[in-house]
Amino acid sequence: MKRFSLALLLLAVVSMASCQREDHGDIAKLSGRMFVFNYRVATANYLVTLQPLAPITAGSTAEAEFENPRGGAPLSTVEKLFPKTEKIVLQSPPIECVKKGRPYKVTIRLKDADGLLRQTIETSISSNTDQSLLPAKPLVVGPLYTPNPDVFRTDGTTDMSPVKGCPK
């Protein structure tokens, strides 16, 4: 009986060990990255998605730093993460001056509830469209999509000019 109990215990330990996930330390992996151009409201943003690889603990955060296409200090955002998160979505504040084909740097830091850095992901994003195709002013204003009078003037002319002052 004692041998049977010992064998059963050994079998249980071996089977539990084989079911455990191999821990490589990564919390998430990059699953998507792109620029989003919204022609209607004349905005552009970075959009990055991550797929969780390990359970997310309550209070964790994802901090993203995006290269500023206009130049100057990087733009940043912080997102709270939740235990049942199936996809982590990080979006930059509005940006200007994106150039077609140029890679822009993005750094993502995943931190636990205590602020301890758990993972860093570095990547770059290139656009297949130049932002000079986007007007500087929104085409519509208000909740009813009223044509913007700064773009569609009462004299019948339109101002679809792009953002000015972008670095070359």
mmCIF file with all atom_site columns, all heavy atoms in Angstrom, residues 86-106:
data_model
loop_
_atom_site.group_PDB
_atom_site.id
_atom_site.type_symbol
_atom_site.label_atom_id
_atom_site.label_alt_id
_atom_site.label_comp_id
_atom_site.label_asym_id
_atom_site.label_entity_id
_atom_site.label_seq_id
_atom_site.pdbx_PDB_ins_code
_atom_site.Cartn_x
_atom_site.Cartn_y
_atom_site.Cartn_z
_atom_site.occupancy
_atom_site.B_iso_or_equiv
_atom_site.pdbx_formal_charge
_atom_site.auth_seq_id
_atom_site.auth_comp_id
_atom_site.auth_asym_id
_atom_site.auth_atom_id
_atom_site.pdbx_PDB_model_num
ATOM 1   N N   . GLU A 1 86  ? -7.469  40.210 -23.274 1.00 0.00 ? 86  GLU A N   1
ATOM 2   C CA  . GLU A 1 86  ? -7.170  39.286 -24.375 1.00 0.00 ? 86  GLU A CA  1
ATOM 3   C C   . GLU A 1 86  ? -6.274  39.930 -25.424 1.00 0.00 ? 86  GLU A C   1
ATOM 4   O O   . GLU A 1 86  ? -5.616  39.240 -26.195 1.00 0.00 ? 86  GLU A O   1
ATOM 5   C CB  . GLU A 1 86  ? -8.466  38.807 -25.011 1.00 0.00 ? 86  GLU A CB  1
ATOM 6   C CG  . GLU A 1 86  ? -9.280  37.923 -24.086 1.00 0.00 ? 86  GLU A CG  1
ATOM 7   C CD  . GLU A 1 86  ? -10.539 37.388 -24.739 1.00 0.00 ? 86  GLU A CD  1
ATOM 8   O OE1 . GLU A 1 86  ? -10.636 37.417 -25.984 1.00 0.00 ? 86  GLU A OE1 1
ATOM 9   O OE2 . GLU A 1 86  ? -11.411 36.947 -23.997 1.00 0.00 ? 86  GLU A OE2 1
ATOM 10  N N   . LYS A 1 87  ? -6.290  41.268 -25.472 1.00 0.00 ? 87  LYS A N   1
ATOM 11  C CA  . LYS A 1 87  ? -5.462  41.997 -26.428 1.00 0.00 ? 87  LYS A CA  1
ATOM 12  C C   . LYS A 1 87  ? -5.115  43.344 -25.801 1.00 0.00 ? 87  LYS A C   1
ATOM 13  O O   . LYS A 1 87  ? -5.975  44.003 -25.236 1.00 0.00 ? 87  LYS A O   1
ATOM 14  C CB  . LYS A 1 87  ? -6.227  42.193 -27.739 1.00 0.00 ? 87  LYS A CB  1
ATOM 15  C CG  . LYS A 1 87  ? -5.449  42.965 -28.773 1.00 0.00 ? 87  LYS A CG  1
ATOM 16  C CD  . LYS A 1 87  ? -6.073  43.010 -30.156 1.00 0.00 ? 87  LYS A CD  1
ATOM 17  C CE  . LYS A 1 87  ? -7.538  43.245 -30.210 1.00 0.00 ? 87  LYS A CE  1
ATOM 18  N NZ  . LYS A 1 87  ? -8.053  43.488 -31.545 1.00 0.00 ? 87  LYS A NZ  1
ATOM 19  N N   . ILE A 1 88  ? -3.869  43.727 -25.896 1.00 0.00 ? 88  ILE A N   1
ATOM 20  C CA  . ILE A 1 88  ? -3.419  45.020 -25.385 1.00 0.00 ? 88  ILE A CA  1
ATOM 21  C C   . ILE A 1 88  ? -3.325  45.964 -26.576 1.00 0.00 ? 88  ILE A C   1
ATOM 22  O O   . ILE A 1 88  ? -2.652  45.662 -27.558 1.00 0.00 ? 88  ILE A O   1
ATOM 23  C CB  . ILE A 1 88  ? -2.048  44.887 -24.693 1.00 0.00 ? 88  ILE A CB  1
ATOM 24  C CG1 . ILE A 1 88  ? -2.143  43.903 -23.519 1.00 0.00 ? 88  ILE A CG1 1
ATOM 25  C CG2 . ILE A 1 88  ? -1.544  46.247 -24.234 1.00 0.00 ? 88  ILE A CG2 1
ATOM 26  C CD1 . ILE A 1 88  ? -0.797  43.477 -22.958 1.00 0.00 ? 88  ILE A CD1 1
ATOM 27  N N   . VAL A 1 89  ? -4.033  47.088 -26.492 1.00 0.00 ? 89  VAL A N   1
ATOM 28  C CA  . VAL A 1 89  ? -4.050  48.064 -27.581 1.00 0.00 ? 89  VAL A CA  1
ATOM 29  C C   . VAL A 1 89  ? -3.448  49.365 -27.074 1.00 0.00 ? 89  VAL A C   1
ATOM 30  O O   . VAL A 1 89  ? -3.904  49.918 -26.074 1.00 0.00 ? 89  VAL A O   1
ATOM 31  C CB  . VAL A 1 89  ? -5.491  48.308 -28.093 1.00 0.00 ? 89  VAL A CB  1
ATOM 32  C CG1 . VAL A 1 89  ? -5.490  49.342 -29.208 1.00 0.00 ? 89  VAL A CG1 1
ATOM 33  C CG2 . VAL A 1 89  ? -6.128  47.009 -28.550 1.00 0.00 ? 89  VAL A CG2 1
ATOM 34  N N   . LEU A 1 90  ? -2.432  49.844 -27.772 1.00 0.00 ? 90  LEU A N   1
ATOM 35  C CA  . LEU A 1 90  ? -1.762  51.089 -27.424 1.00 0.00 ? 90  LEU A CA  1
ATOM 36  C C   . LEU A 1 90  ? -1.870  52.059 -28.589 1.00 0.00 ? 90  LEU A C   1
ATOM 37  O O   . LEU A 1 90  ? -1.516  51.715 -29.716 1.00 0.00 ? 90  LEU A O   1
ATOM 38  C CB  . LEU A 1 90  ? -0.292  50.823 -27.095 1.00 0.00 ? 90  LEU A CB  1
ATOM 39  C CG  . LEU A 1 90  ? -0.049  49.819 -25.969 1.00 0.00 ? 90  LEU A CG  1
ATOM 40  C CD1 . LEU A 1 90  ? 1.406   49.391 -25.947 1.00 0.00 ? 90  LEU A CD1 1
ATOM 41  C CD2 . LEU A 1 90  ? -0.458  50.416 -24.647 1.00 0.00 ? 90  LEU A CD2 1
ATOM 42  N N   . GLN A 1 91  ? -2.376  53.242 -28.298 1.00 0.00 ? 91  GLN A N   1
ATOM 43  C CA  . GLN A 1 91  ? -2.555  54.256 -29.342 1.00 0.00 ? 91  GLN A CA  1
ATOM 44  C C   . GLN A 1 91  ? -1.866  55.534 -28.890 1.00 0.00 ? 91  GLN A C   1
ATOM 45  O O   . GLN A 1 91  ? -2.003  55.948 -27.735 1.00 0.00 ? 91  GLN A O   1
ATOM 46  C CB  . GLN A 1 91  ? -4.041  54.504 -29.576 1.00 0.00 ? 91  GLN A CB  1
ATOM 47  C CG  . GLN A 1 91  ? -4.314  55.454 -30.707 1.00 0.00 ? 91  GLN A CG  1
ATOM 48  C CD  . GLN A 1 91  ? -5.805  55.552 -31.028 1.00 0.00 ? 91  GLN A CD  1
ATOM 49  O OE1 . GLN A 1 91  ? -6.603  54.739 -30.606 1.00 0.00 ? 91  GLN A OE1 1
ATOM 50  N NE2 . GLN A 1 91  ? -6.157  56.559 -31.778 1.00 0.00 ? 91  GLN A NE2 1
ATOM 51  N N   . SER A 1 92  ? -1.161  56.167 -29.806 1.00 0.00 ? 92  SER A N   1
ATOM 52  C CA  . SER A 1 92  ? -0.466  57.409 -29.483 1.00 0.00 ? 92  SER A CA  1
ATOM 53  C C   . SER A 1 92  ? -1.438  58.582 -29.481 1.00 0.00 ? 92  SER A C   1
ATOM 54  O O   . SER A 1 92  ? -2.528  58.494 -30.042 1.00 0.00 ? 92  SER A O   1
ATOM 55  C CB  . SER A 1 92  ? 0.623   57.679 -30.519 1.00 0.00 ? 92  SER A CB  1
ATOM 56  O OG  . SER A 1 92  ? 0.037   58.104 -31.744 1.00 0.00 ? 92  SER A OG  1
ATOM 57  N N   . PRO A 1 93  ? -1.008  59.692 -28.887 1.00 0.00 ? 93  PRO A N   1
ATOM 58  C CA  . PRO A 1 93  ? -1.751  60.933 -29.103 1.00 0.00 ? 93  PRO A CA  1
ATOM 59  C C   . PRO A 1 93  ? -1.656  61.283 -30.596 1.00 0.00 ? 93  PRO A C   1
ATOM 60  O O   . PRO A 1 93  ? -0.834  60.708 -31.317 1.00 0.00 ? 93  PRO A O   1
ATOM 61  C CB  . PRO A 1 93  ? -0.991  61.959 -28.261 1.00 0.00 ? 93  PRO A CB  1
ATOM 62  C CG  . PRO A 1 93  ? -0.107  61.179 -27.352 1.00 0.00 ? 93  PRO A CG  1
ATOM 63  C CD  . PRO A 1 93  ? 0.131   59.849 -28.004 1.00 0.00 ? 93  PRO A CD  1
ATOM 64  N N   . PRO A 1 94  ? -2.472  62.213 -31.083 1.00 0.00 ? 94  PRO A N   1
ATOM 65  C CA  . PRO A 1 94  ? -2.372  62.605 -32.505 1.00 0.00 ? 94  PRO A CA  1
ATOM 66  C C   . PRO A 1 94  ? -0.959  63.051 -32.874 1.00 0.00 ? 94  PRO A C   1
ATOM 67  O O   . PRO A 1 94  ? -0.270  63.688 -32.078 1.00 0.00 ? 94  PRO A O   1
ATOM 68  C CB  . PRO A 1 94  ? -3.364  63.761 -32.623 1.00 0.00 ? 94  PRO A CB  1
ATOM 69  C CG  . PRO A 1 94  ? -4.352  63.502 -31.530 1.00 0.00 ? 94  PRO A CG  1
ATOM 70  C CD  . PRO A 1 94  ? -3.549  62.911 -30.399 1.00 0.00 ? 94  PRO A CD  1
ATOM 71  N N   . ILE A 1 95  ? -0.547  62.672 -34.075 1.00 0.00 ? 95  ILE A N   1
ATOM 72  C CA  . ILE A 1 95  ? 0.790   63.007 -34.573 1.00 0.00 ? 95  ILE A CA  1
ATOM 73  C C   . ILE A 1 95  ? 0.675   63.746 -35.891 1.00 0.00 ? 95  ILE A C   1
ATOM 74  O O   . ILE A 1 95  ? -0.368  63.712 -36.546 1.00 0.00 ? 95  ILE A O   1
ATOM 75  C CB  . ILE A 1 95  ? 1.659   61.737 -34.751 1.00 0.00 ? 95  ILE A CB  1
ATOM 76  C CG1 . ILE A 1 95  ? 0.947   60.720 -35.642 1.00 0.00 ? 95  ILE A CG1 1
ATOM 77  C CG2 . ILE A 1 95  ? 2.014   61.137 -33.402 1.00 0.00 ? 95  ILE A CG2 1
ATOM 78  C CD1 . ILE A 1 95  ? 1.755   59.486 -35.975 1.00 0.00 ? 95  ILE A CD1 1
ATOM 79  N N   . GLU A 1 96  ? 1.755   64.382 -36.275 1.00 0.00 ? 96  GLU A N   1
ATOM 80  C CA  . GLU A 1 96  ? 1.813   65.109 -37.548 1.00 0.00 ? 96  GLU A CA  1
ATOM 81  C C   . GLU A 1 96  ? 3.143   64.811 -38.232 1.00 0.00 ? 96  GLU A C   1
ATOM 82  O O   . GLU A 1 96  ? 4.131   64.493 -37.576 1.00 0.00 ? 96  GLU A O   1
ATOM 83  C CB  . GLU A 1 96  ? 1.710   66.620 -37.317 1.00 0.00 ? 96  GLU A CB  1
ATOM 84  C CG  . GLU A 1 96  ? 0.395   67.071 -36.731 1.00 0.00 ? 96  GLU A CG  1
ATOM 85  C CD  . GLU A 1 96  ? 0.354   68.574 -36.487 1.00 0.00 ? 96  GLU A CD  1
ATOM 86  O OE1 . GLU A 1 96  ? 1.426   69.198 -36.279 1.00 0.00 ? 96  GLU A OE1 1
ATOM 87  O OE2 . GLU A 1 96  ? -0.755  69.125 -36.507 1.00 0.00 ? 96  GLU A OE2 1
ATOM 88  N N   . CYS A 1 97  ? 3.167   64.927 -39.534 1.00 0.00 ? 97  CYS A N   1
ATOM 89  C CA  . CYS A 1 97  ? 4.382   64.889 -40.350 1.00 0.00 ? 97  CYS A CA  1
ATOM 90  C C   . CYS A 1 97  ? 4.915   63.486 -40.650 1.00 0.00 ? 97  CYS A C   1
ATOM 91  O O   . CYS A 1 97  ? 6.114   63.314 -40.906 1.00 0.00 ? 97  CYS A O   1
ATOM 92  C CB  . CYS A 1 97  ? 5.489   65.747 -39.745 1.00 0.00 ? 97  CYS A CB  1
ATOM 93  S SG  . CYS A 1 97  ? 5.005   67.474 -39.474 1.00 0.00 ? 97  CYS A SG  1
ATOM 94  N N   . VAL A 1 98  ? 4.071   62.473 -40.661 1.00 0.00 ? 98  VAL A N   1
ATOM 95  C CA  . VAL A 1 98  ? 4.506   61.114 -40.992 1.00 0.00 ? 98  VAL A CA  1
ATOM 96  C C   . VAL A 1 98  ? 4.942   61.070 -42.454 1.00 0.00 ? 98  VAL A C   1
ATOM 97  O O   . VAL A 1 98  ? 4.214   61.526 -43.335 1.00 0.00 ? 98  VAL A O   1
ATOM 98  C CB  . VAL A 1 98  ? 3.374   60.087 -40.747 1.00 0.00 ? 98  VAL A CB  1
ATOM 99  C CG1 . VAL A 1 98  ? 3.785   58.706 -41.208 1.00 0.00 ? 98  VAL A CG1 1
ATOM 100 C CG2 . VAL A 1 98  ? 2.969   60.078 -39.287 1.00 0.00 ? 98  VAL A CG2 1
ATOM 101 N N   . LYS A 1 99  ? 6.129   60.523 -42.692 1.00 0.00 ? 99  LYS A N   1
ATOM 102 C CA  . LYS A 1 99  ? 6.656   60.389 -44.052 1.00 0.00 ? 99  LYS A CA  1
ATOM 103 C C   . LYS A 1 99  ? 6.563   58.940 -44.511 1.00 0.00 ? 99  LYS A C   1
ATOM 104 O O   . LYS A 1 99  ? 6.890   58.019 -43.755 1.00 0.00 ? 99  LYS A O   1
ATOM 105 C CB  . LYS A 1 99  ? 8.121   60.833 -44.113 1.00 0.00 ? 99  LYS A CB  1
ATOM 106 C CG  . LYS A 1 99  ? 8.323   62.294 -43.785 1.00 0.00 ? 99  LYS A CG  1
ATOM 107 C CD  . LYS A 1 99  ? 7.750   63.177 -44.852 1.00 0.00 ? 99  LYS A CD  1
ATOM 108 C CE  . LYS A 1 99  ? 8.012   64.631 -44.538 1.00 0.00 ? 99  LYS A CE  1
ATOM 109 N NZ  . LYS A 1 99  ? 7.105   65.504 -45.233 1.00 0.00 ? 99  LYS A NZ  1
ATOM 110 N N   . LYS A 1 100 ? 6.155   58.741 -45.732 1.00 0.00 ? 100 LYS A N   1
ATOM 111 C CA  . LYS A 1 100 ? 6.034   57.400 -46.313 1.00 0.00 ? 100 LYS A CA  1
ATOM 112 C C   . LYS A 1 100 ? 7.386   56.698 -46.318 1.00 0.00 ? 100 LYS A C   1
ATOM 113 O O   . LYS A 1 100 ? 8.403   57.290 -46.701 1.00 0.00 ? 100 LYS A O   1
ATOM 114 C CB  . LYS A 1 100 ? 5.500   57.527 -47.741 1.00 0.00 ? 100 LYS A CB  1
ATOM 115 C CG  . LYS A 1 100 ? 5.388   56.210 -48.479 1.00 0.00 ? 100 LYS A CG  1
ATOM 116 C CD  . LYS A 1 100 ? 4.877   56.421 -49.888 1.00 0.00 ? 100 LYS A CD  1
ATOM 117 C CE  . LYS A 1 100 ? 4.770   55.112 -50.630 1.00 0.00 ? 100 LYS A CE  1
ATOM 118 N NZ  . LYS A 1 100 ? 4.201   55.286 -51.964 1.00 0.00 ? 100 LYS A NZ  1
ATOM 119 N N   . GLY A 1 101 ? 7.390   55.422 -45.861 1.00 0.00 ? 101 GLY A N   1
ATOM 120 C CA  . GLY A 1 101 ? 8.583   54.588 -45.933 1.00 0.00 ? 101 GLY A CA  1
ATOM 121 C C   . GLY A 1 101 ? 9.627   54.812 -44.856 1.00 0.00 ? 101 GLY A C   1
ATOM 122 O O   . GLY A 1 101 ? 10.582  54.056 -44.754 1.00 0.00 ? 101 GLY A O   1
ATOM 123 N N   . ARG A 1 102 ? 9.473   55.822 -44.034 1.00 0.00 ? 102 ARG A N   1
ATOM 124 C CA  . ARG A 1 102 ? 10.465  56.094 -42.983 1.00 0.00 ? 102 ARG A CA  1
ATOM 125 C C   . ARG A 1 102 ? 10.085  55.303 -41.724 1.00 0.00 ? 102 ARG A C   1
ATOM 126 O O   . ARG A 1 102 ? 8.958   55.368 -41.262 1.00 0.00 ? 102 ARG A O   1
ATOM 127 C CB  . ARG A 1 102 ? 10.496  57.577 -42.647 1.00 0.00 ? 102 ARG A CB  1
ATOM 128 C CG  . ARG A 1 102 ? 11.555  57.922 -41.600 1.00 0.00 ? 102 ARG A CG  1
ATOM 129 C CD  . ARG A 1 102 ? 11.337  59.353 -41.096 1.00 0.00 ? 102 ARG A CD  1
ATOM 130 N NE  . ARG A 1 102 ? 12.297  59.799 -40.139 1.00 0.00 ? 102 ARG A NE  1
ATOM 131 C CZ  . ARG A 1 102 ? 12.358  59.433 -38.875 1.00 0.00 ? 102 ARG A CZ  1
ATOM 132 N NH1 . ARG A 1 102 ? 11.538  58.525 -38.406 1.00 0.00 ? 102 ARG A NH1 1
ATOM 133 N NH2 . ARG A 1 102 ? 13.255  59.946 -38.059 1.00 0.00 ? 102 ARG A NH2 1
ATOM 134 N N   . PRO A 1 103 ? 11.018  54.538 -41.138 1.00 0.00 ? 103 PRO A N   1
ATOM 135 C CA  . PRO A 1 103 ? 10.701  53.807 -39.906 1.00 0.00 ? 103 PRO A CA  1
ATOM 136 C C   . PRO A 1 103 ? 10.732  54.735 -38.688 1.00 0.00 ? 103 PRO A C   1
ATOM 137 O O   . PRO A 1 103 ? 11.663  55.525 -38.533 1.00 0.00 ? 103 PRO A O   1
ATOM 138 C CB  . PRO A 1 103 ? 11.799  52.746 -39.818 1.00 0.00 ? 103 PRO A CB  1
ATOM 139 C CG  . PRO A 1 103 ? 12.904  53.253 -40.663 1.00 0.00 ? 103 PRO A CG  1
ATOM 140 C CD  . PRO A 1 103 ? 12.318  54.193 -41.681 1.00 0.00 ? 103 PRO A CD  1
ATOM 141 N N   . TYR A 1 104 ? 9.717   54.639 -37.849 1.00 0.00 ? 104 TYR A N   1
ATOM 142 C CA  . TYR A 1 104 ? 9.609   55.417 -36.624 1.00 0.00 ? 104 TYR A CA  1
ATOM 143 C C   . TYR A 1 104 ? 9.691   54.460 -35.432 1.00 0.00 ? 104 TYR A C   1
ATOM 144 O O   . TYR A 1 104 ? 9.020   53.431 -35.401 1.00 0.00 ? 104 TYR A O   1
ATOM 145 C CB  . TYR A 1 104 ? 8.302   56.206 -36.582 1.00 0.00 ? 104 TYR A CB  1
ATOM 146 C CG  . TYR A 1 104 ? 8.238   57.278 -37.638 1.00 0.00 ? 104 TYR A CG  1
ATOM 147 C CD1 . TYR A 1 104 ? 7.618   57.037 -38.857 1.00 0.00 ? 104 TYR A CD1 1
ATOM 148 C CD2 . TYR A 1 104 ? 8.807   58.524 -37.426 1.00 0.00 ? 104 TYR A CD2 1
ATOM 149 C CE1 . TYR A 1 104 ? 7.559   58.022 -39.836 1.00 0.00 ? 104 TYR A CE1 1
ATOM 150 C CE2 . TYR A 1 104 ? 8.760   59.515 -38.409 1.00 0.00 ? 104 TYR A CE2 1
ATOM 151 C CZ  . TYR A 1 104 ? 8.133   59.258 -39.613 1.00 0.00 ? 104 TYR A CZ  1
ATOM 152 O OH  . TYR A 1 104 ? 8.082   60.226 -40.586 1.00 0.00 ? 104 TYR A OH  1
ATOM 153 N N   . LYS A 1 105 ? 10.498  54.806 -34.447 1.00 0.00 ? 105 LYS A N   1
ATOM 154 C CA  . LYS A 1 105 ? 10.774  53.933 -33.300 1.00 0.00 ? 105 LYS A CA  1
ATOM 155 C C   . LYS A 1 105 ? 9.632   53.944 -32.276 1.00 0.00 ? 105 LYS A C   1
ATOM 156 O O   . LYS A 1 105 ? 9.072   54.997 -31.973 1.00 0.00 ? 105 LYS A O   1
ATOM 157 C CB  . LYS A 1 105 ? 12.068  54.387 -32.623 1.00 0.00 ? 105 LYS A CB  1
ATOM 158 C CG  . LYS A 1 105 ? 12.492  53.518 -31.470 1.00 0.00 ? 105 LYS A CG  1
ATOM 159 C CD  . LYS A 1 105 ? 13.790  54.012 -30.869 1.00 0.00 ? 105 LYS A CD  1
ATOM 160 C CE  . LYS A 1 105 ? 14.134  53.173 -29.643 1.00 0.00 ? 105 LYS A CE  1
ATOM 161 N NZ  . LYS A 1 105 ? 15.317  53.647 -28.980 1.00 0.00 ? 105 LYS A NZ  1
ATOM 162 N N   . VAL A 1 106 ? 9.330   52.756 -31.744 1.00 0.00 ? 106 VAL A N   1
ATOM 163 C CA  . VAL A 1 106 ? 8.342   52.599 -30.676 1.00 0.00 ? 106 VAL A CA  1
ATOM 164 C C   . VAL A 1 106 ? 8.961   51.703 -29.602 1.00 0.00 ? 106 VAL A C   1
ATOM 165 O O   . VAL A 1 106 ? 9.518   50.651 -29.909 1.00 0.00 ? 106 VAL A O   1
ATOM 166 C CB  . VAL A 1 106 ? 7.035   51.948 -31.201 1.00 0.00 ? 106 VAL A CB  1
ATOM 167 C CG1 . VAL A 1 106 ? 6.047   51.738 -30.069 1.00 0.00 ? 106 VAL A CG1 1
ATOM 168 C CG2 . VAL A 1 106 ? 6.423   52.778 -32.310 1.00 0.00 ? 106 VAL A CG2 1
#
